Amino acid sequence: MLPKSKVDLYAAIRRDSRAGLSSRALERKYGVGFRTVQKALSSAWPEPRKKLPPRVTRLDPFKPLIDRMLRADLDAPRKQRHTVKRIFDRLVDEHGADEISYQMVRAYVADRRGEILLQAGRGVADAFIPQTHKPGAEAEVDFGDVTVRLAGELVTCYLFAFRLSYSGKSVHRIFASAGQEAFFEGHVHALNVLGGVPTGKVRYDNLRAAVAQVLGFSRQQVEAERWTAFRSHHGLEALYCRPGIGGAHEKGGVEGQIGWFRRNRLVPVPEVATLAELNAMIERWDEQDDSRRIRSRPRIIGEYFAAERPLLAPLPDEPFETGRLFTPRVDRDSQISVRTNRYSVPVRLIGRTVRVMLHASEVVVHDGREEVARHERLIAKGGTRLDLDHYLEALVRKPGALPGATALEQARSAGRFTPIHDAWWAAARKAHGERDGTRALIEVLLLSRHLSHEHLVAGLAVALKAGALTADAVALEARKAAEADTADPAEPEPPAAGRATVTSLTARRLAHLPPDTRPLPSVAHYDQLLRHRRPDRPTT
């Protein structure tokens, strides 16, 4: 059977190439040219194509009516229930469904009738068959929602779990969303921790990150193209469970593992400042789980995994780009919109189109090849994340906009704009006036592009204590603090004076210049201008 799309074609070519087929054999098998084979072997992701909008069928308005008839049959006598023909006739006679066909109704009823029976609890009872898994061959993947107190606020996050079926070795990761970016990054993290790729099937739900469309209530799916490329790159073979809750038992190992992890590791609700801090804790917990014994197994997880790890397939040499690319336009507020949230960029980019790489935990913005902004990804929808540094060039021209700026408020909340900044700003405004004092503060904030935040705050504190309310004085004291941190600890430091002093930046520069041996200038040559005075213009 020939591949259905170009992504599937690339995946099939790469799979057969791993099996040992030559380029000439691949060309004959798939009816493609030499360049197509080389492109498939060099990259799992073909050139993007424009997607067509989803098709709307003429049966969609009548599906609720069909469902109502099928539910009415649950309590009707067995010999007096709706057949497909009777449903079709009623739709035509009672509801004027002249544009639909009998085949459309038959296909929908064939799938929908069994689902309604299962929903009513009248389906056939399922029997669970114990399974034996080969080492290094099978795995299970799933997401589970968890609640975390993040920076003092209760938020819902998503726990990614990758579990090897033979040993029970599991790798976990918490993300702010369960999107495709988190799905890919969770795989990359898990495969790197495990040190290889399962050689057999990996079981999945029909989650949107992997499956674009489920064809009825069967195991036939249309995969998302980026997921197909990701699988081809890592050599993963996916097996999708049956749709609905009835297929959850097909990957019961990871379902139970997520529940166990939630009850034993996330109770009480963890309180962390960032998700990175929480994921560092999860990595330690995963290492501790190697000494855990699952039910009545004779050995611990770590011993089973030690036997399973050498049997995993090797990881690919080149990394796969897990982020999703966007190309938004920067608006007049110097912001871009990405997935219902807004992020700031430098004001010089207003009106330009930038490249945004959206990852599971961060947003990276590029202008050409230059990275111009990096933000932590927002969890809630409709949020805004602004960086005060992006607006400094505009604030130099409009200093009156700084006190009420949203970026300033967010900088205070994040701890980047400290009380020392406020105290120095108030003293500068008192000494130089509102406009000039605010501009002096903006010049100080511009120093953060070359000096670390800690050294700049130290420079502000010393300058404030000495009453030096200029950006040059703050820069000098900040560089002194930086030099003190990098100085040799064996060298004795000069004794500190009782009163803080600030050295003039001009005096410091002159101190490093060589002595000037040139003679002093003379103005004697200008005396000749006084000798040729006109007689008709007397002097007084």
Side-chain angles (χ1 to χ4, degrees):
M1 181 178 179
L2 293 178
K4 299 178 181 179
S5 67
K6 198 170 184 179
V7 177
D8 294 328
L9 173 64
Y10 276 34
I13 291 175
R14 293 169 67 88
R15 182 178 62 249
D16 291 344
S17 176
R18 294 191 190 99
L21 288 182
S22 64
S23 298
R24 186 67 60 85
L26 292 172
E27 296 172 17
R28 290 195 299 266
K29 180 177 180 180
Y30 294 102
V32 296
F34 174 80
R35 292 184 178 180
T36 303
V37 172
Q38 295 304 313
K39 289 180 180 179
L41 296 179
S42 62
S43 174
W45 185 243
E47 298 178 357
R49 295 182 60 184
K50 184 178 180 180
K51 294 184 179 181
L52 297 176
R55 294 182 58 185
V56 179
T57 66
R58 291 169 292 177
L59 187 63
D60 290 344
F62 305 99
K63 287 180 179 179
L65 300 174
I66 298 175
D67 292 348
R68 193 179 307 128
M69 298 177 192
L70 295 177
R71 290 191 178 94
D73 286 345
L74 295 175
D75 300 324
R78 185 175 61 87
K79 295 185 178 181
Q80 290 179 255
R81 296 174 183 171
H82 285 86
T83 62
V84 176
K85 184 177 183 306
R86 180 54 183 159
I87 293 175
F88 175 73
D89 291 339
R90 288 190 61 185
L91 292 176
V92 174
D93 297 337
E94 301 176 11
H95 303 282
D98 298 327
E99 297 182 355
I100 66 173
S101 64
Y102 173 82
Q103 288 78 10
M104 297 169 63
V105 178
R106 181 181 61 185
Y108 179 74
V109 172
D111 295 328
R112 187 60 175 157
R113 192 192 296 274
E115 180 187 11
I116 291 178
L117 287 174
L118 290 175
Q119 292 176 351
R122 301 185 184 183
V124 179
D126 292 329
F128 298 96
I129 310 300
Q131 300 289 304
T132 299
H133 305 283
K134 297 181 180 179
E138 299 180 29
E140 302 170 1
V141 175
D142 199 7
F143 271 110
D145 60 294
V146 296
T147 301
V148 178
R149 189 173 295 278
L150 186 62
E153 181 180 357
L154 278 177
V155 296
T156 300
C157 299
Y158 299 91
L159 175 66
F160 174 88
F162 190 106
R163 182 181 185 272
L164 294 176
S165 300
Y166 171 76
S167 62
K169 171 67 176 179
S170 300
V171 181
H172 305 87
R173 198 81 170 170
I174 286 185
F175 297 99
S177 70
Q180 196 175 67
E181 303 83 25
F183 187 60
F184 287 175
E185 291 185 21
H187 275 82
V188 172
H189 172 71
L191 296 178
N192 288 334
V193 171
L194 298 175
V197 182
T199 58
K201 301 290 185 180
V202 181
R203 299 178 183 271
Y204 298 93
D205 276 333
N206 293 276
L207 65 170
R208 290 293 299 275
V211 177
Q213 182 184 3
V214 179
L215 304 178
F217 287 86
S218 63
R219 295 185 185 275
Q220 298 181 0
Q221 296 88 7
V222 178
E223 286 189 339
E225 291 191 344
R226 293 189 74 239
W227 167 238
T228 302
F230 183 90
R231 286 199 307 102
S232 174
H233 181 82
H234 290 87
L236 289 169
E237 294 293 334
L239 175 63
Y240 301 103
C241 302
R242 286 189 302 155
I245 194 172
H249 69 276
E250 296 182 3
K251 55 178 182 60
V254 72
E255 296 277 359
Q257 172 63 29
I258 289 178
W260 183 93
F261 191 89
R262 187 190 289 120
R263 293 187 299 270
N264 291 270
R265 300 302 189 189
L266 302 178
V267 176
V269 175
E271 299 183 14
V272 293
T274 62
L275 288 181
E277 178 184 350
L278 179 58
N279 283 320
M281 298 166 57
I282 289 177
E283 291 179 7
R284 296 194 298 269
W285 293 337
D286 286 345
E287 294 177 359
Q288 296 173 7
D289 282 350
D290 288 346
S291 59
R292 181 168 63 91
R293 191 187 308 273
I294 299 178
R295 295 181 181 176
S296 58
R297 287 189 176 187
R299 291 182 290 173
I300 60 176
I301 294 176
E303 294 178 357
Y304 282 105
F305 179 63
E308 185 176 27
R309 186 168 190 171
L311 303 178
L312 298 173
L315 294 170
D317 297 330
E318 298 181 357
F320 187 92
E321 179 53 65
T322 59
R324 182 180 290 272
L325 179 65
F326 296 90
T327 55
R329 187 173 181 270
V330 183
D331 61 16
R332 61 186 301 176
D333 294 327
S334 192
Q335 299 175 19
I336 55 175
S337 179
V338 182
R339 288 283 183 87
T340 72
N341 290 318
R342 300 175 64 81
Y343 302 89
S344 67
V345 297
V347 293
R348 69 176 187 274
L349 301 176
I350 291 178
R352 299 179 60 176
T353 300
V354 295
R355 292 188 301 109
V356 179
M357 191 62 66
L358 178 65
H359 297 278
S361 302
E362 63 180 1
V363 179
V364 184
V365 186
H366 291 86
D367 178 34
R369 296 185 178 181
E370 178 188 3
E371 180 182 323
V372 295
R374 183 182 292 264
H375 295 277
E376 183 179 354
R377 182 172 177 176
L378 292 168
I379 298 178
K381 293 183 179 181
T384 303
R385 177 149 288 166
L386 306 180
D387 189 344
L388 181 59
D389 182 75
H390 294 161
Y391 295 91
L392 294 180
E393 286 82 1
L395 289 171
V396 169
R397 300 190 302 270
K398 299 179 179 181
L402 179 59
T406 305
L408 176 61
E409 185 63 27
Q410 293 191 9
R412 282 197 178 101
S413 301
R416 300 293 298 177
F417 197 89
T418 63
I420 297 178
H421 287 80
D422 279 316
W424 192 92
W425 185 15
R429 285 184 296 178
K430 184 177 180 181
H432 307 301
E434 290 288 335
R435 184 187 63 179
D436 294 339
T438 301
R439 281 181 175 168
L441 174 68
I442 296 172
E443 293 177 1
V444 169
L445 296 177
L446 285 169
L447 296 174
S448 62
R449 298 179 179 178
H450 311 287
L451 300 170
S452 67
H453 176 72
E454 294 76 11
H455 295 153
L456 188 59
V457 173
L460 277 170
V462 175
L464 178 63
K465 186 176 181 180
L469 304 175
T470 63
D472 288 344
V474 175
L476 178 59
E477 295 303 324
R479 291 190 179 96
K480 285 183 178 180
E483 292 173 359
D485 287 347
T486 58
D488 188 358
E491 298 180 359
E493 296 183 358
R499 180 176 178 272
T501 60
V502 177
T503 305
S504 171
L505 187 60
T506 303
R508 188 187 184 196
R509 290 171 179 169
L510 292 177
H512 295 282
L513 292 177
D516 191 358
T517 58
R518 294 176 298 178
L520 294 176
S522 174
V523 296
H525 299 287
Y526 293 94
D527 292 342
Q528 61 182 338
L529 298 176
L530 303 176
R531 299 172 185 171
H532 302 283
R533 188 176 295 112
R534 295 176 61 179
D536 57 344
R537 187 175 296 177
T539 59
T540 58

